[in-house]
Amino acid sequence: MGIIPVPRVAVIVVAAGSGTRLAAGAPKAFVGIDEHSILRHALEGVVAAPTAQVVIVAPHGRAGDAQTEAEAAFGERADLVTVVVGGDTRQQSVAAGLGALWADVEIVLVHDAARALTPPEVFERVIAEVERTGAGVVPVRPVVDTLKRVTGRVVDEAVDRAPLVAAQTPQGFPRALLEAVYAGATEEHTDDTALFAAAGHSVHTVAGDDLSFKITTPADLDRARHLLRPAAHTASVLPLVGIGTDVHAFGGDGALRLAGLEWPGEPGLRGHSDGDAVAHAIVDAVLAAAGLGDIGTNFGVDRPEYAGASGVVFLRRVRELVAEAGFAIGNVSVQVQANRPRFASRRAEAEALLTQALGAPVSVAATTTDGLGFTGAGEGVSATAVALVHRIR
Ligand code: CTP
Ligand code: MG
C-alpha cells in the first residue's frame, strides 16, 4: 500500500466580532461560558481536529489575550497558532486570516469562534468532504420550524422547508479557490460558502451538529452554560465503590459467628465484638464507598454500646447511616478466606440473612488458600468485601 498524502489543513477561527447582540460588556470571544471563554471552548474543539495551522482572528487590542487562550488550549502545540487582528465585518476578518496562511496549506476551514461547542467530528467530516470533492463544504442541520414569507407583520405565504437547511461552520475549501474568491469579492456575504457559490463554485453539505449552534444572544449563552453543566452532575451520579477487609483469629469464647450465622461445633473468633469478619468487611466497604469513615470511627472501642454486638447489628446501623447521608447501596460482594467453616452448604442462608440486614444484595464466596498464610494454617479467618453505592440526593 502506498502512503496517502495528507493535505495540510489550516483552520481560521474568526473571533473579531464585538458581540453586539450578546451585550455582555466584552468582545464576544472573551465572554466566559464557565471558567473558560467562548474562544477557549472553540479552540478546544479545534485542538482535537487534524490541523497543521490555526489562525485566530482577534478583535483590535485583544491579540495578546487571544495568544494566551491559544497557549492554554494548545499547550506544547501552541506554535501551530498564528494570531492576527480582524476587520469591521466578518468577511474582512476572514480575509485577514487568509493573509496569515503558511505557504504549504492546501485546505482551509473557516470557523466561527461563536460556535464554541462544535464537536471535533464536524471538522473531520468537513475536511474529508473537501478532500473527496475538491468543492466548498458546509455543515448543515435540518430546519425544524415551519417557515413563512412575510411583508412586515403580514404572512404572504408558507415556505416549503423540505429543500432548506441551516448552515453552520466550520466551512471548508481548497485554499487556492477560496483565496481567488476573496481576492475578487465585491460584495459582503454572511458566510464563506455564500461568497464561494456566488463566484460560481459548487458547495457540498455534510451533517452539522446541534452543539454547533452559534452563541448570539444571552439565551444562547445560557444554553451553552446548561450544556456544559452536566459534566459535574454526571460525576456525582456515577456509582461509588468501596473496599473493606477484616481478619480475626480463632480462639474466642463460645461458638463461631460468621456471615451473620451461628456455626455450632466450630471454634469461635476473637474480637471486640462477635468477631464476624464477613460482616465487618461489608461494613467497612459500604462506609468507604459512601465516604463515611470506617468501622473503627463508627463502632470503635470508644463506643461501649457496640461491645459484643453482632455483625448483623452493625449492618443494620450502616444501612441507616448510609441512607441518612443520601446514598442507596447497589450491591456488595464479599469473599471469605478460611479453611473452616465450609460455606458451600450454608451460602444461600448467609446471603439471605446479610441481604436482609443491609437492604441490598450481598453475595458471598469462600475459598481456601492452598495451605498458605495464616488462613491456610487454620489460625484465623480473612474476609474482603467490595460495595457499590450511589447518591440519591
Ligand atoms: N466576526 C469577526 N469579525 C467581525 C464580525 C464577526 O471575526 N468583524 C466573527 C465573530 O467573532 C463570530 C463570527 O464572526 O465568531 C460570527 O459573527 P457573529 O455571531 O455575528 O458575532 P458578532 O459580530 O461578534 O456578534 P454581533 O453581530 O451580535 O455583534
Ligand atoms: Mg455579527
Side-chain angles (χ1 to χ4, degrees), residues 14-22 28 57 87-90 93 112-114 214-216:
V14 285
S18 53
T20 326
R21 287 167 288 180
L22 190 59
K28 184 156 78 181
V57 186
D88 290 341
T89 65
R90 184 183 182 283
S93 293
D112 291 336
K214 185 159 71 71
I215 299 174
T216 305

Side-chain angles (χ1 to χ4, degrees), residues 12-17 28-30 33 37-43 46 56-57 90 110-118 169 213-215:
I12 298 174
V13 180
V14 285
K28 184 156 78 181
F30 297 97
I33 304 180
S37 66
I38 288 176
L39 176 59
R40 174 74 187 275
H41 279 283
L43 293 175
V46 178
I56 303 174
V57 186
R90 184 183 182 283
V110 182
H111 184 48
D112 291 336
R115 299 182 190 274
L117 305 187
T118 303
T169 74
F213 69 94
K214 185 159 71 71
I215 299 174

Side-chain angles (χ1 to χ4, degrees), residues 59-214:
H60 276 287
R62 301 304 290 261
D65 296 331
Q67 183 67 40
T68 304
E69 297 285 48
E71 280 162 18
F74 283 81
E76 286 176 354
R77 294 166 63 217
D79 56 348
L80 300 186
V81 180
T82 312
V83 178
V84 298
V85 170
D88 290 341
T89 65
R90 184 183 182 283
Q91 197 162 310
Q92 288 170 17
S93 293
V94 175
L98 285 170
L101 291 179
W102 291 334
D104 51 0
V105 166
E106 295 166 41
I107 289 178
V108 179
L109 270 55
V110 182
H111 184 48
D112 291 336
R115 299 182 190 274
L117 305 187
T118 303
E121 303 82 65
V122 180
F123 291 84
E124 286 165 21
R125 285 201 283 275
V126 171
I127 293 166
E129 188 69 357
V130 176
E131 283 187 86
R132 194 182 71 80
T133 63
V137 174
V138 57
V140 298
R141 299 297 297 151
V143 176
V144 287
D145 290 326
T146 294
L147 302 175
K148 310 283 185 200
R149 193 184 306 281
V150 296
T151 303
R153 293 172 64 177
V154 178
V155 174
D156 293 329
E157 58 175 352
V159 178
D160 178 15
R161 75 180 167 216
L164 299 177
V165 289
Q168 300 182 328
T169 74
Q171 299 180 2
F173 310 89
R175 180 220 182 129
L177 291 182
L178 188 67
E179 279 182 337
V181 161
Y182 263 86
T186 50
E187 287 173 41
E188 285 284 326
H189 292 266
T190 50
D191 71 1
D192 309 287
T193 46
L195 182 63
F196 197 75
H201 299 294
S202 61
V203 176
H204 287 230
T205 65
V206 293
D209 195 293
D210 287 340
L211 288 174
S212 296
F213 69 94
K214 185 159 71 71

